[in-house]
Amino acid sequence: MSSLNSTVSTNSTFVRPQFFYINGFSNIPHVKFYFIFLCFVYTVTVIANSFIMFIIFMNQNLHTPKYSAVFNLAVVDMGGSTALIPKMIETFLFDSQFITYEACLVNMFFVHLFTFMQSLTLLALAYDRFVAICFPLNYHSVITNGKMVLILAIIWIMTAGLMLIAVGLVTRLSFCKSIVINSYFCDHGPVCQLACNSNSPNHIYAQFCISIVLFIPLILIALSYMCIVFALLKIASGEERLRAMKTCTSHLILVAVFYLPICGTYLAAILSTIHPDARILNTSLSSTIPPMLNPIIYTLKTEEILETVKRLYNRNKISAAF
C-alpha cells in the first residue's frame, strides 16, 4: 500500500490511482458489532420506507403535495442508505477496503447526492407547512400536486448538477502522496486532501455546496417556523392553534434528527479538535440513523397515515375472518 508503482497510472505531471484504500473504521476496537448494528439499521430503513411509500401509494387521500414530498423523502432515504450501508459492510466486515478510482467517484456522487436531497426535501416540506398555516385560504392554489412535483424535480436536477461538478473537479486532482482515505466511504473532503496539486477549487466549491444545500435550507426552515409561530399567535382559539401545530410536529422532529448531528459535528470541529475515530463514528451515525427514523416518525406522528394503517389493518382483519 505504501508503494504506488502498481496502483497508479502516471505521466510526468499527473498521477491517477487505480485504487483508493478506505481506512475508516480500521482503528476502532470491536467494530464488527457496529456493522451488525448497521445491518439492523439498513433492514429497518428498507422496510419502514417501503411501508410508508406503500401507504401513500395505496391511499388516494394521501395523493397531496405534502405527501408527494414525504414520498420523495422516503425514496431519498432508501437511496442514501443503499448507497452507503451495504458498501460500508462489504468494505469493513469483509476486509474489502480497496476501491477502484471510478467506483470511488460513483460512491462519492450518490452518497452526497442523497444527503443533500434529504436537506432540500425537508425544505420543500417546510414550504408546504408555511403556506398551509400562514396562507390557508390560498394553499390549494399556491401548492398543487403539479407544483410540488416541479419543485422536487428542480431539487433533483439542481442537486445532481452540483454533485456532477464536484466529482468533475476531483478528476483534475493528482494523487502522488497517498491513496489512504481517512473516512468510511469516498468522502469528498478526505479524498481531496490527498491531492498533490492545489485542491483550493475543490475546497471552495465544497463550501459553496454545503452552504447552498445544508445551511441555507436550515436558515430558511427556521425562518418559515418563525412565520408559522407568529401566524399561530394570531389565532384566537387555543384548540385551533394546537391542531395547526400538530401538523408540523413530524417535520420539526425530522429537521432536528437530520440537522442537529451535522451542526454539532461542524461546531465541534470549529471549537475543538475531534478525534478522527469519533468524527467517523458520529458522521456515519448521522448518515444512517435519520433515514431509518424518518418513516417511523411520520407513521407514528401523522394522523392521516395512522388512520390509513388502521383502515388497512381492519380491512385485512375482515377479509381474514371471511
Side-chain angles (χ1 to χ4, degrees):
M1 191 168 60
S2 60
S3 173
L4 296 180
N5 293 335
S6 61
T7 59
V8 297
S9 58
T10 179
N11 56 34
S12 58
T13 59
F14 192 84
V15 180
R16 174 172 290 177
Q18 292 177 8
F19 296 92
F20 284 109
Y21 182 86
I22 301 178
N23 196 40
F25 297 97
S26 299
N27 300 320
I28 300 175
H30 309 297
V31 74
K32 288 191 176 180
F33 293 107
Y34 181 61
F35 295 116
I36 294 170
F37 168 71
L38 285 182
C39 288
F40 167 77
V41 168
Y42 182 63
T43 303
V44 174
T45 300
V46 171
I47 293 170
N49 281 289
S50 299
F51 176 75
I52 202 165
M53 285 191 285
F54 173 76
I55 291 296
I56 293 170
F57 179 78
M58 289 297 292
N59 188 351
Q60 290 288 331
N61 295 327
L62 297 181
H63 294 182
T64 63
K66 174 185 174 181
Y67 288 104
S68 296
V70 173
F71 189 95
N72 185 73
L73 185 64
V75 171
V76 168
D77 287 341
M78 286 262 286
S81 293
T82 302
L84 186 62
I85 296 178
K87 186 61 185 173
M88 283 171 63
I89 292 169
E90 179 196 350
T91 299
F92 298 104
L93 199 58
F94 300 105
D95 295 322
S96 179
Q97 288 169 261
F98 281 100
I99 183 170
T100 65
Y101 178 85
E102 292 78 12
C104 184
L105 295 184
V106 171
N107 181 244
M108 181 189 298
F109 174 85
F110 281 108
V111 173
H112 288 304
L113 171 75
F114 288 117
T115 301
F116 292 164
M117 276 300 305
Q118 191 171 352
S119 174
L120 292 171
T121 305
L122 290 174
L123 177 60
L125 282 164
Y127 174 63
D128 175 87
R129 292 299 84 207
F130 166 74
V131 175
I133 294 173
C134 296
F135 306 99
L137 298 178
N138 298 325
Y139 176 77
H140 292 293
S141 60
V142 173
I143 299 187
T144 63
N145 279 330
K147 288 178 182 176
M148 181 57 77
V149 169
L150 179 62
I151 289 169
L152 295 173
I154 290 169
I155 288 172
W156 275 100
I157 293 166
M158 184 187 78
T159 310
L162 288 171
M163 280 315 305
L164 282 171
I165 295 170
V167 172
L169 285 172
V170 173
T171 62
R172 57 166 287 278
L173 297 177
S174 179
F175 300 93
C176 58
K177 291 185 290 189
S178 174
I179 57 168
V180 179
I181 301 172
N182 289 316
S183 187
Y184 54 95
F185 73 104
C186 284
D187 198 350
H188 181 269
V191 170
C192 292
Q193 287 172 7
L194 303 177
C196 304
N197 54 339
S198 173
N199 63 7
S200 295
N202 303 75
H203 179 72
I204 293 167
Y205 186 75
Q207 295 305 312
F208 168 75
C209 287
I210 289 168
S211 299
I212 291 292
V213 296
L214 286 179
F215 293 122
I216 289 177
L218 178 58
I219 292 167
L220 291 174
I221 290 169
L223 289 173
S224 72
Y225 273 102
M226 286 174 62
C227 295
I228 286 170
V229 169
F230 285 126
L232 291 177
L233 290 174
K234 294 177 183 177
I235 298 175
S237 167
E239 188 178 333
E240 288 179 4
R241 201 179 297 163
L242 184 63
R243 193 183 308 119
M245 199 61 209
K246 273 185 177 179
T247 66
C248 300
T249 53
S250 300
H251 180 254
L252 278 170
I253 295 170
L254 263 58
V255 169
V257 166
F258 178 75
Y259 282 107
L260 284 179
I262 292 173
C263 292
T265 302
Y266 273 99
L267 283 174
I270 293 167
L271 300 174
S272 63
T273 303
I274 306 178
H275 191 278
D277 292 347
R279 180 186 63 80
I280 287 169
L281 273 174
N282 184 57
T283 52
S284 66
L285 286 170
S286 301
S287 300
T288 55
I289 298 299
M292 177 184 73
L293 293 180
N294 289 347
I296 297 171
I297 291 166
Y298 251 105
T299 300
L300 295 178
K301 301 294 288 183
T302 307
E303 289 182 14
E304 296 99 325
I305 292 179
L306 277 174
E307 285 300 317
T308 302
V309 172
K310 286 175 186 175
R311 282 200 298 271
L312 286 173
Y313 174 75
N314 290 332
R315 191 186 304 163
N316 290 336
K317 198 174 177 182
I318 292 168
S319 299
F322 289 97

